């Protein structure tokens, strides 16, 4: 799967896009996952048939065409053109409803838009095809963690921990699973363990480090390794 986006960009998108989407009017179905899951008009169905026929002429298979549009979608998503990306993901899904990457992409977008429950539903669809995919499992764990931060329900924190544990069993070097487990331990008030997982994730991939969370953790407990510390006013003045 060609994507730079992955779980790291979910952190960036959730911070910048979720608030922005609250200010937006209702989105057009074509830029909603699976075209908004609403019934299409006759004209729209004819347009879909024309598109599929065109792809049949230009690609060796619909699977190949689906992967092509997925790649274009990731490119647009990495450029911050979310609506355009989702439309490409929708075309990929239309071509091949069994392309698990479409559901994964839909989940990432929904999570970044603040629609965590919808995101988890999409991730669940992807998991039916890839139940042991470490990166996918860590994205599911991150979604449950986000849901817990929103509603403070312990069951969501437990779900986050369970999926992140599964992620690490599939790949012990998944930095994003380690980073999110750090937050799980933080919310369970186990700050020493939180520091341990944070450092382990950072050592593997700097992109896994969430600086907002880092500040919260430092406020609860100094970094045992002394790598990160809160600068005092006197130190700042030097």
């Amino acid at each position: 799967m060609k994507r730079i986006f992955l779980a790291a960009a979910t952190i960036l998108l959730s911070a910048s896009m979720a608030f922005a989407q609250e200010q937006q009017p209702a989105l057009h179905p074509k830029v909603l996952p699976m075209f908004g899951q609403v019934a299409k008009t006759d004209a729209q169905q004819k347009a879909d048939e024309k598109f599929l026929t065109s792809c049949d002429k230009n690609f060796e298979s619909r699977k190949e065409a689906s992967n092509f549009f997925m790649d274009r979608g990731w490119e647009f998503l990495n450029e911050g053109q979310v609506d355009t990306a989702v439309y490409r993901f929708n075309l990929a899904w239309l071509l091949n409803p069994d392309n698990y990457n479409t559901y994964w992409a839909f989940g990432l977008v929904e999570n970044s838009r603040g629609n965590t429950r919808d995101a988890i539903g999409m991730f669940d669809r992807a998991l039916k095809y890839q139940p042991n995919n470490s990166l996918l499992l860590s994205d599911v764990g991150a979604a449950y963690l986000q849901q817990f931060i929103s509603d403070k329900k312990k069951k969501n924190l437990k779900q986050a921990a369970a999926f992140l544990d599964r992620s690490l069993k599939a790949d012990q070097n998944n930095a994003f699973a380690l980073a999110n487990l750090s937050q799980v331990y933080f919310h369970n008030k186990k700050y020493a363990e939180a520091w341990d997982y944070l450092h382990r994730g950072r050592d593997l991939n700097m992109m896994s480090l969430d600086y907002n969370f880092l500040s919260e953790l430092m406020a609860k407990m100094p970094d045992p390794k002394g790598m990160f510390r809160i600068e005092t006013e006197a130190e700042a003045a030097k």
Side-chain angles (χ1 to χ4, degrees):
M1 176 177 61
K2 297 179 180 178
R3 68 173 184 141
I4 302 172
F5 191 62
L6 293 173
T10 313
I11 298 171
L12 300 176
L13 280 171
S14 60
S16 61
M17 290 169 46
F19 175 76
Q21 289 297 333
E22 291 178 2
Q23 314 300 314
Q24 299 297 322
L27 297 173
H28 192 281
K30 76 175 184 179
V31 298
L32 292 172
M34 299 166 64
F35 295 100
Q37 302 184 66
V38 296
K40 292 186 177 182
T41 65
D42 290 341
Q44 290 171 328
Q45 291 180 43
K46 288 180 180 179
D48 286 349
E49 291 172 6
K50 185 177 180 180
F51 168 73
L52 293 172
T53 299
S54 175
C55 287
D56 289 340
K57 293 178 180 179
N58 290 285
F59 295 91
E60 291 186 3
S61 68
R62 289 190 179 182
K63 285 185 177 181
E64 179 186 312
S66 179
N67 291 334
F68 171 83
F69 283 101
M70 279 303 302
D71 287 345
R72 301 294 78 75
W74 292 126
E75 289 172 3
F76 283 116
L77 197 59
N78 288 327
E79 293 171 0
Q81 300 183 52
V82 182
D83 289 350
T84 305
V86 175
Y87 181 54
R88 298 303 185 278
F89 295 147
N90 275 330
L91 295 178
W93 171 77
L94 182 65
L95 283 157
N96 180 16
D98 287 324
N99 186 342
Y100 77 90
N101 281 317
T102 61
Y103 303 114
W104 194 346
F106 291 149
L108 288 170
V109 170
E110 289 288 61
N111 203 36
S112 70
R113 286 173 170 171
N115 303 324
T116 313
R117 281 297 171 195
D118 292 335
I120 291 170
M122 289 297 173
F123 288 143
D124 283 343
R125 290 172 181 260
L127 282 171
K128 291 179 181 178
Y129 297 90
Q130 292 278 309
N132 298 312
N133 187 309
S134 179
L135 285 171
L136 175 56
L137 288 164
S138 62
D139 282 342
V140 183
Y144 274 107
L145 179 60
Q146 186 169 316
Q147 186 65 31
F148 167 76
I149 292 172
S150 174
D151 62 22
K152 303 303 180 185
K153 293 182 179 179
K154 281 288 187 179
K155 65 177 183 179
N156 289 319
L157 191 62
K158 290 180 179 179
Q159 283 281 58
F163 277 102
L164 295 169
D165 284 338
R166 284 176 58 188
S167 175
L168 287 176
K169 286 179 180 178
D171 179 7
Q172 62 182 353
N173 292 320
N174 185 333
F176 302 105
L178 291 166
N180 282 302
L181 267 175
S182 174
Q183 294 198 41
V184 169
Y185 279 103
F186 172 84
H187 290 294
N188 281 318
K189 299 182 179 180
K190 296 182 178 180
Y191 305 123
E193 290 88 343
W195 274 116
D196 178 54
Y197 278 93
L198 182 143
H199 280 294
R200 288 168 59 186
R202 176 198 171 278
D203 289 345
L204 288 167
N205 190 335
M206 280 287 295
M207 287 293 292
S208 69
L209 189 60
D210 181 336
Y211 287 95
N212 290 326
F213 168 64
L214 176 61
S215 297
E216 293 180 28
L217 182 54
M218 285 192 294
K220 293 294 185 180
M221 177 182 175
D223 180 4
K225 291 189 176 182
M227 184 177 294
F228 302 104
R229 55 197 298 267
I230 299 175
E231 190 178 46
T232 65
E233 291 184 9
E235 290 172 329
K238 291 182 179 179

